[in-house]
Structures are given as C-alpha cells and as structure tokens.
Amino acid sequence: MSKVPSADSSKLVNTVYPYKLLLQPDTRSQFEVMLSDLGITSPRTVLGDPLCQVRDITDGIATVKCGRHQFTVPAGRDAGSPRTHSTYIPTPTQEGLLSDMILSHSVSDICLVGPPGCGKSVVINEFARRLGYDTDSVVL
C-alpha cells in the first residue's frame, strides 16, 4: 500500500489470500463480514486501477510508474525490446494483470496458477520482457 496508496485494498487482500478459492461458502461469508467491518469493500474494476509502466532498467533495478506514484522493483539485465511478444495481445484485463504482477514483484515472488492453455506463459513472457528477465519453462 505504501508503494501505490491508491491501490484497491480489497484486491490486495484477494491477491495475498485468495479466500474465495480457499474457504467454504459459510466461512467465506464470515470472512467477508470481517473485511466489511475493517472497511474493505468489494474490489473496483481493473479498468479503474492505475496501470504500471516500466520506465528504465539500470543495474538490475527497474523504475516503475504506477499512476502518480513511482517505485523500483528487481529486474533483469536490460530493458525488453519495445515490441511486445508476438502472441501477447494487450487488452485492459491483461495490462491490469501485468500491473498487479509488477506491483506484487516489488515486495515478493509471484506464482501464476491456471488450467493449460489459459495464457500463463504468454503473460509471464511479457512480464519478463518488460523487466528484462530471461525465462525458462519448468514442467511439473
């Protein structure tokens, strides 16, 4: 929250603890009451969130601008090429997801989970390209 104070607190809670996936319906409703008591309401749309843009990469540190706020995140050796990966289509949802990933990367590691063919590899390759990382595939 200190890096981007305008970030949606409900969205951050869901990122850190995806309770809708983890809790049973009765426990989920109790958790939502607790969030409401704390003033954390349902998330805003992705389109209303400030999108993060990588401005510069120097010595393994990327400068990121997210809305009016600027912060740094770990990065690879050099900035990605100006072109996107050939299979990446920049939709508002994908750009919002990439912004969330960059923001999460500023404080911790990230893990994408989803069924085969949903686009995890395409998104992570675009994330890596923007931050100057190399990628390796690991089949589990």
Side-chain angles (χ1 to χ4, degrees), residues 80 83-88 98 101 112 119-137:
R83 292 180 34 227
T84 59
H85 191 271
S86 64
T87 58
Y88 177 74
L98 281 168
M101 290 170 60
L112 293 182
K120 297 178 301 292
S121 295
V122 171
V123 170
I124 203 67
N125 285 331
E126 181 63 16
F127 172 83
R129 186 200 63 79
R130 290 185 185 190
L131 291 176
Y133 285 119
D134 295 323
T135 59
D136 290 319
S137 295

Side-chain angles (χ1 to χ4, degrees), residues 23 25 34 37 47 73 76 80 97 99 110 123 136-137:
L23 300 178
M34 181 199 65
D37 290 345
L47 298 176
V73 298
L97 175 60
S99 291
I110 55 175
V123 170
D136 290 319
S137 295

Side-chain angles (χ1 to χ4, degrees), residues 61-127:
I61 301 291
T63 302
V64 176
K65 186 168 190 317
C66 194
R68 298 184 320 255
H69 308 283
Q70 188 167 303
F71 55 94
T72 60
V73 298
R77 290 183 294 258
D78 56 6
S81 67
R83 292 180 34 227
T84 59
H85 191 271
S86 64
T87 58
Y88 177 74
I89 300 171
T91 65
T93 301
Q94 296 289 65
E95 290 297 308
L97 175 60
L98 281 168
S99 291
D100 290 346
M101 290 170 60
I102 291 170
L103 188 57
S104 295
H105 182 58
S106 71
V107 294
S108 183
D109 293 333
I110 55 175
C111 177
L112 293 182
V113 179
C118 71
K120 297 178 301 292
S121 295
V122 171
V123 170
I124 203 67
N125 285 331
E126 181 63 16
F127 172 83

Side-chain angles (χ1 to χ4, degrees), residues 16-30:
V16 173
Y17 183 63
Y19 70 93
K20 291 179 183 178
L21 297 173
L22 301 173
L23 300 178
Q24 296 297 320
D26 57 332
T27 310
R28 185 182 324 141
S29 62
Q30 293 171 358

